[in-house]
Amino acid sequence: MSIENKAIGIHERSIMKAARIFLVLGLVNVCSAVCPTPTVSYGWPRGLPVTYSWMTYFGPSAFSEVGVNGIGAAQTIDSAFPSWTYSNTQENTSGVGFYWTGGTGQVNIMVVRVNYPGVPNLDPHRAAGYTMAQYSETGIVISQRITLYLGSLDYGGNPIYDEAASSFQPFVKKVMLHEIGHGMYLTDQPLFGSALCGLQTFGESVMNGSCGTNDSQNMLPTSVRPCDNQAIQ
Ligand SMILES: [Zn+2]
């Protein structure tokens, strides 16, 4: 089990000059928590209202569309956004707010099922989800897409999600808090190797990796933590 965090070359140009597409993420397992949380050089601009909405997957058959409503998780996914809005207005100085309507920035959320779990390149992420953020040369995020991968396996071959368990919905929120964090200048906690969940500091950062099916080891917290707030620009 390990974290996957790689840039994938999607050479797509945005309307902004020299904008880049950056694929981050891989919310799986194993890291050591650092406080303040490690950062990257891009994020939403201060004070920006950001709209979030559900999106339908269409693309290669390695994945099938499930949809936010298909897992009964709309409310859970929705709940991650006001949690971040609260932190950004009450606990850090970014002022970035996430709203269902009226925002300037845009976050889209997709939920898909991995059709070939564990198969290299067809279950490429070994992750609960990933974020694709489009950002300008000056590091301003323009848009963000979050995809949750049901049915994916971690590097130990264990299911990342168990949709039938009561821990599923709380885990979905944890994953969402993590993914939204990728648009807030935050990056994954450092990788220490495989199957070493114990190296993490339990619950210290939303940028921890998960450990066990539905994060059974509770590496991920259920709200934005002080170490995260300290890191936000
Ligand atoms: Zn991540």
Side-chain angles (χ1 to χ4, degrees), residues 12-53:
E12 181 180 317
R13 290 286 167 180
S14 78
I15 55 171
M16 293 195 65
K17 185 181 178 186
R20 303 167 195 164
I21 300 287
F22 198 83
L23 270 178
V24 211
L25 220 326
L27 206 207
V28 202
N29 321 316
V30 191
C31 346
S32 177
V34 173
C35 192
T37 300
T39 58
V40 286
S41 60
Y42 55 89
W44 296 109
R46 299 175 77 84
L48 191 76
V50 178
T51 297
Y52 60 94
S53 58

Short mmCIF file of all heavy atoms in Angstrom, two decimals, residues 12-53:
data_model
loop_
_atom_site.label_atom_id
_atom_site.label_comp_id
_atom_site.label_asym_id
_atom_site.label_seq_id
_atom_site.Cartn_x
_atom_site.Cartn_y
_atom_site.Cartn_z
N GLU A 12 -3.33 19.77 -22.60
CA GLU A 12 -4.51 20.48 -23.06
C GLU A 12 -4.35 21.93 -22.68
O GLU A 12 -4.00 22.26 -21.57
CB GLU A 12 -5.73 19.87 -22.36
CG GLU A 12 -7.04 20.48 -22.74
CD GLU A 12 -8.16 19.80 -21.98
OE1 GLU A 12 -8.13 18.56 -21.87
OE2 GLU A 12 -9.04 20.51 -21.49
N ARG A 13 -4.60 22.79 -23.62
CA ARG A 13 -4.44 24.21 -23.34
C ARG A 13 -5.76 24.82 -22.91
O ARG A 13 -6.80 24.52 -23.46
CB ARG A 13 -3.93 24.93 -24.59
CG ARG A 13 -2.51 24.58 -24.94
CD ARG A 13 -1.55 25.23 -23.98
NE ARG A 13 -0.21 24.65 -24.13
CZ ARG A 13 0.83 25.04 -23.40
NH1 ARG A 13 0.69 25.97 -22.50
NH2 ARG A 13 2.00 24.47 -23.56
N SER A 14 -5.66 25.65 -21.95
CA SER A 14 -6.86 26.35 -21.51
C SER A 14 -6.93 27.68 -22.24
O SER A 14 -6.07 28.02 -23.04
CB SER A 14 -6.81 26.60 -20.02
OG SER A 14 -5.96 27.69 -19.76
N ILE A 15 -7.95 28.43 -21.94
CA ILE A 15 -8.07 29.76 -22.53
C ILE A 15 -7.02 30.71 -21.96
O ILE A 15 -6.74 31.74 -22.52
CB ILE A 15 -9.48 30.36 -22.30
CG1 ILE A 15 -9.81 30.36 -20.81
CG2 ILE A 15 -10.52 29.59 -23.09
CD1 ILE A 15 -11.09 31.12 -20.49
N MET A 16 -6.44 30.32 -20.83
CA MET A 16 -5.43 31.19 -20.25
C MET A 16 -4.07 30.84 -20.82
O MET A 16 -3.74 29.70 -21.04
CB MET A 16 -5.41 31.06 -18.74
CG MET A 16 -6.68 31.60 -18.13
SD MET A 16 -6.54 31.86 -16.37
CE MET A 16 -5.30 33.16 -16.29
N LYS A 17 -3.28 31.85 -21.03
CA LYS A 17 -1.96 31.65 -21.59
C LYS A 17 -1.14 30.71 -20.74
O LYS A 17 -1.01 30.89 -19.54
CB LYS A 17 -1.25 33.01 -21.71
CG LYS A 17 0.09 32.93 -22.41
CD LYS A 17 0.72 34.30 -22.46
CE LYS A 17 2.10 34.23 -23.11
NZ LYS A 17 2.79 35.51 -23.03
N ALA A 18 -0.58 29.73 -21.40
CA ALA A 18 0.36 28.82 -20.75
C ALA A 18 -0.20 28.16 -19.49
O ALA A 18 0.52 27.85 -18.57
CB ALA A 18 1.66 29.55 -20.41
N ALA A 19 -1.48 27.99 -19.49
CA ALA A 19 -2.06 27.29 -18.35
C ALA A 19 -1.64 25.83 -18.40
O ALA A 19 -1.34 25.28 -19.45
CB ALA A 19 -3.58 27.40 -18.37
N ARG A 20 -1.62 25.21 -17.30
CA ARG A 20 -1.18 23.82 -17.24
C ARG A 20 -2.28 22.95 -16.66
O ARG A 20 -3.09 23.39 -15.89
CB ARG A 20 0.04 23.69 -16.32
CG ARG A 20 1.19 24.54 -16.70
CD ARG A 20 2.17 24.55 -15.56
NE ARG A 20 3.12 25.64 -15.73
CZ ARG A 20 3.89 26.08 -14.74
NH1 ARG A 20 3.84 25.53 -13.56
NH2 ARG A 20 4.73 27.06 -14.94
N ILE A 21 -2.24 21.73 -17.05
CA ILE A 21 -3.09 20.75 -16.41
C ILE A 21 -2.21 19.91 -15.51
O ILE A 21 -1.15 19.46 -15.91
CB ILE A 21 -3.76 19.82 -17.43
CG1 ILE A 21 -4.62 20.60 -18.41
CG2 ILE A 21 -4.58 18.76 -16.73
CD1 ILE A 21 -5.90 21.12 -17.84
N PHE A 22 -2.64 19.74 -14.32
CA PHE A 22 -1.80 19.01 -13.38
C PHE A 22 -2.65 17.97 -12.70
O PHE A 22 -3.72 18.25 -12.19
CB PHE A 22 -1.25 19.99 -12.34
CG PHE A 22 -0.08 19.46 -11.60
CD1 PHE A 22 1.20 19.55 -12.13
CD2 PHE A 22 -0.25 18.87 -10.36
CE1 PHE A 22 2.28 19.06 -11.44
CE2 PHE A 22 0.84 18.37 -9.67
CZ PHE A 22 2.10 18.47 -10.20
N LEU A 23 -2.21 16.77 -12.76
CA LEU A 23 -2.92 15.71 -12.08
C LEU A 23 -2.20 15.38 -10.78
O LEU A 23 -1.04 15.02 -10.80
CB LEU A 23 -2.93 14.46 -12.95
CG LEU A 23 -4.10 14.30 -13.90
CD1 LEU A 23 -3.91 13.04 -14.70
CD2 LEU A 23 -5.40 14.25 -13.16
N VAL A 24 -2.90 15.52 -9.75
CA VAL A 24 -2.27 15.25 -8.48
C VAL A 24 -2.99 14.06 -7.86
O VAL A 24 -3.99 13.62 -8.37
CB VAL A 24 -2.45 16.41 -7.51
CG1 VAL A 24 -1.26 16.49 -6.58
CG2 VAL A 24 -2.65 17.71 -8.23
N LEU A 25 -2.48 13.62 -6.80
CA LEU A 25 -3.31 12.84 -5.94
C LEU A 25 -3.07 11.37 -5.90
O LEU A 25 -2.15 10.88 -6.50
CB LEU A 25 -4.76 13.05 -6.32
CG LEU A 25 -5.73 13.14 -5.16
CD1 LEU A 25 -5.30 12.26 -4.05
CD2 LEU A 25 -5.99 14.50 -4.78
N GLY A 26 -3.91 10.74 -5.32
CA GLY A 26 -3.75 9.33 -5.05
C GLY A 26 -3.93 9.25 -3.57
O GLY A 26 -2.99 9.29 -2.82
N LEU A 27 -5.18 9.12 -3.21
CA LEU A 27 -5.43 9.09 -1.79
C LEU A 27 -5.40 7.66 -1.33
O LEU A 27 -6.40 7.00 -1.28
CB LEU A 27 -6.82 9.69 -1.52
CG LEU A 27 -7.04 10.30 -0.15
CD1 LEU A 27 -8.48 10.25 0.26
CD2 LEU A 27 -6.15 9.75 0.92
N VAL A 28 -4.24 7.16 -1.10
CA VAL A 28 -4.12 5.82 -0.56
C VAL A 28 -2.95 5.78 0.40
O VAL A 28 -1.84 6.08 0.05
CB VAL A 28 -3.81 4.79 -1.64
CG1 VAL A 28 -4.21 3.41 -1.18
CG2 VAL A 28 -4.55 5.13 -2.90
N ASN A 29 -3.21 5.41 1.53
CA ASN A 29 -2.20 4.93 2.46
C ASN A 29 -0.92 5.71 2.69
O ASN A 29 -0.43 6.43 1.87
CB ASN A 29 -1.76 3.54 2.05
CG ASN A 29 -2.94 2.76 1.58
OD1 ASN A 29 -3.97 2.82 2.21
ND2 ASN A 29 -2.79 2.09 0.51
N VAL A 30 -0.39 5.46 3.77
CA VAL A 30 0.99 5.60 4.11
C VAL A 30 1.72 6.90 3.89
O VAL A 30 2.24 7.18 2.82
CB VAL A 30 1.82 4.56 3.34
CG1 VAL A 30 3.21 4.53 3.92
CG2 VAL A 30 1.18 3.22 3.45
N CYS A 31 1.81 7.64 4.89
CA CYS A 31 2.69 8.78 4.86
C CYS A 31 3.03 9.12 6.30
O CYS A 31 2.56 8.49 7.21
CB CYS A 31 2.05 10.01 4.27
SG CYS A 31 0.55 9.77 3.40
N SER A 32 3.86 10.11 6.46
CA SER A 32 4.12 10.62 7.78
C SER A 32 3.58 12.03 7.82
O SER A 32 3.86 12.83 6.95
CB SER A 32 5.61 10.62 8.05
OG SER A 32 5.87 11.19 9.31
N ALA A 33 2.81 12.33 8.78
CA ALA A 33 2.21 13.66 8.84
C ALA A 33 3.26 14.69 9.21
O ALA A 33 4.10 14.46 10.07
CB ALA A 33 1.08 13.68 9.85
N VAL A 34 3.21 15.81 8.54
CA VAL A 34 4.09 16.93 8.80
C VAL A 34 3.21 18.11 9.17
O VAL A 34 2.16 18.30 8.61
CB VAL A 34 4.93 17.25 7.54
CG1 VAL A 34 5.74 18.53 7.74
CG2 VAL A 34 5.85 16.09 7.21
N CYS A 35 3.67 18.88 10.13
CA CYS A 35 2.89 20.04 10.55
C CYS A 35 3.78 21.29 10.53
O CYS A 35 4.81 21.27 11.19
CB CYS A 35 2.33 19.82 11.95
SG CYS A 35 1.08 21.01 12.46
N PRO A 36 3.43 22.34 9.78
CA PRO A 36 2.24 22.47 8.95
C PRO A 36 2.27 21.52 7.75
O PRO A 36 3.33 21.06 7.34
CB PRO A 36 2.27 23.93 8.51
CG PRO A 36 3.70 24.34 8.60
CD PRO A 36 4.27 23.55 9.73
N THR A 37 1.11 21.28 7.22
CA THR A 37 0.95 20.38 6.08
C THR A 37 1.77 20.87 4.89
O THR A 37 1.80 22.07 4.61
CB THR A 37 -0.55 20.33 5.73
OG1 THR A 37 -1.26 19.85 6.87
CG2 THR A 37 -0.80 19.40 4.55
N PRO A 38 2.43 19.97 4.16
CA PRO A 38 3.21 20.36 2.98
C PRO A 38 2.36 21.07 1.93
O PRO A 38 1.17 20.76 1.77
CB PRO A 38 3.73 19.03 2.44
CG PRO A 38 3.69 18.09 3.59
CD PRO A 38 2.52 18.53 4.42
N THR A 39 2.99 22.01 1.24
CA THR A 39 2.25 22.81 0.27
C THR A 39 2.83 22.69 -1.14
O THR A 39 3.94 22.20 -1.33
CB THR A 39 2.28 24.31 0.65
OG1 THR A 39 3.65 24.72 0.73
CG2 THR A 39 1.60 24.54 1.99
N VAL A 40 2.06 23.14 -2.09
CA VAL A 40 2.51 23.30 -3.47
C VAL A 40 2.31 24.77 -3.86
O VAL A 40 1.88 25.57 -3.03
CB VAL A 40 1.73 22.38 -4.43
CG1 VAL A 40 2.19 20.94 -4.27
CG2 VAL A 40 0.23 22.51 -4.21
N SER A 41 2.61 25.10 -5.09
CA SER A 41 2.63 26.52 -5.49
C SER A 41 1.36 26.96 -6.19
O SER A 41 1.34 27.98 -6.86
CB SER A 41 3.84 26.77 -6.40
OG SER A 41 3.74 25.96 -7.56
N TYR A 42 0.30 26.18 -6.07
CA TYR A 42 -0.94 26.61 -6.72
C TYR A 42 -2.13 26.39 -5.81
O TYR A 42 -2.13 25.50 -4.96
CB TYR A 42 -1.16 25.86 -8.04
CG TYR A 42 -1.15 24.36 -7.88
CD1 TYR A 42 -2.31 23.66 -7.60
CD2 TYR A 42 0.04 23.65 -7.99
CE1 TYR A 42 -2.30 22.29 -7.44
CE2 TYR A 42 0.08 22.28 -7.82
CZ TYR A 42 -1.11 21.61 -7.55
OH TYR A 42 -1.08 20.26 -7.38
N GLY A 43 -3.12 27.23 -5.98
CA GLY A 43 -4.34 27.11 -5.18
C GLY A 43 -5.34 28.16 -5.63
O GLY A 43 -5.05 29.01 -6.47
N TRP A 44 -6.52 28.09 -5.05
CA TRP A 44 -7.53 29.10 -5.34
C TRP A 44 -7.05 30.45 -4.81
O TRP A 44 -6.45 30.51 -3.73
CB TRP A 44 -8.86 28.75 -4.66
CG TRP A 44 -9.49 27.49 -5.15
CD1 TRP A 44 -9.60 26.31 -4.48
CD2 TRP A 44 -10.11 27.28 -6.42
NE1 TRP A 44 -10.24 25.38 -5.25
CE2 TRP A 44 -10.58 25.95 -6.45
CE3 TRP A 44 -10.32 28.08 -7.54
CZ2 TRP A 44 -11.23 25.40 -7.56
CZ3 TRP A 44 -10.98 27.54 -8.64
CH2 TRP A 44 -11.43 26.22 -8.64
N PRO A 45 -7.33 31.54 -5.53
CA PRO A 45 -6.95 32.85 -5.02
C PRO A 45 -7.73 33.23 -3.78
O PRO A 45 -8.87 32.77 -3.57
CB PRO A 45 -7.27 33.80 -6.19
CG PRO A 45 -8.15 33.04 -7.10
CD PRO A 45 -7.94 31.58 -6.86
N ARG A 46 -7.13 34.03 -2.96
CA ARG A 46 -7.75 34.42 -1.70
C ARG A 46 -9.11 35.05 -1.92
O ARG A 46 -9.30 35.85 -2.82
CB ARG A 46 -6.85 35.42 -0.98
CG ARG A 46 -5.49 34.88 -0.64
CD ARG A 46 -4.63 35.97 -0.03
NE ARG A 46 -4.97 36.23 1.35
CZ ARG A 46 -4.51 35.53 2.38
NH1 ARG A 46 -3.68 34.53 2.18
NH2 ARG A 46 -4.85 35.82 3.60
N GLY A 47 -10.03 34.66 -1.10
CA GLY A 47 -11.36 35.27 -1.11
C GLY A 47 -12.27 34.81 -2.22
O GLY A 47 -13.41 35.29 -2.32
N LEU A 48 -11.82 33.90 -3.06
CA LEU A 48 -12.63 33.51 -4.22
C LEU A 48 -13.82 32.65 -3.82
O LEU A 48 -13.67 31.66 -3.10
CB LEU A 48 -11.78 32.72 -5.22
CG LEU A 48 -12.45 32.49 -6.58
CD1 LEU A 48 -12.41 33.77 -7.41
CD2 LEU A 48 -11.78 31.34 -7.32
N PRO A 49 -15.02 33.01 -4.30
CA PRO A 49 -16.14 32.07 -4.17
C PRO A 49 -16.06 31.01 -5.26
O PRO A 49 -15.86 31.33 -6.43
CB PRO A 49 -17.37 32.97 -4.35
CG PRO A 49 -16.89 34.14 -5.14
CD PRO A 49 -15.40 34.29 -4.90
N VAL A 50 -16.19 29.77 -4.88
CA VAL A 50 -16.05 28.65 -5.82
C VAL A 50 -17.35 27.85 -5.84
O VAL A 50 -17.88 27.49 -4.79
CB VAL A 50 -14.88 27.73 -5.40
CG1 VAL A 50 -14.77 26.53 -6.35
CG2 VAL A 50 -13.57 28.50 -5.35
N THR A 51 -17.84 27.60 -7.04
CA THR A 51 -19.05 26.78 -7.21
C THR A 51 -18.67 25.32 -7.37
O THR A 51 -17.69 25.02 -8.06
CB THR A 51 -19.84 27.23 -8.45
OG1 THR A 51 -20.27 28.57 -8.26
CG2 THR A 51 -21.06 26.35 -8.68
N TYR A 52 -19.42 24.43 -6.74
CA TYR A 52 -19.16 23.00 -6.96
C TYR A 52 -20.40 22.34 -7.53
O TYR A 52 -21.52 22.74 -7.24
CB TYR A 52 -18.69 22.31 -5.68
CG TYR A 52 -19.64 22.36 -4.53
CD1 TYR A 52 -20.53 21.32 -4.30
CD2 TYR A 52 -19.62 23.42 -3.63
CE1 TYR A 52 -21.40 21.35 -3.23
CE2 TYR A 52 -20.48 23.46 -2.55
CZ TYR A 52 -21.37 22.42 -2.36
OH TYR A 52 -22.23 22.46 -1.28
N SER A 53 -20.20 21.33 -8.35
CA SER A 53 -21.34 20.64 -8.96
C SER A 53 -20.97 19.22 -9.33
O SER A 53 -19.79 18.85 -9.39
CB SER A 53 -21.82 21.40 -10.20
OG SER A 53 -20.77 21.52 -11.13
#
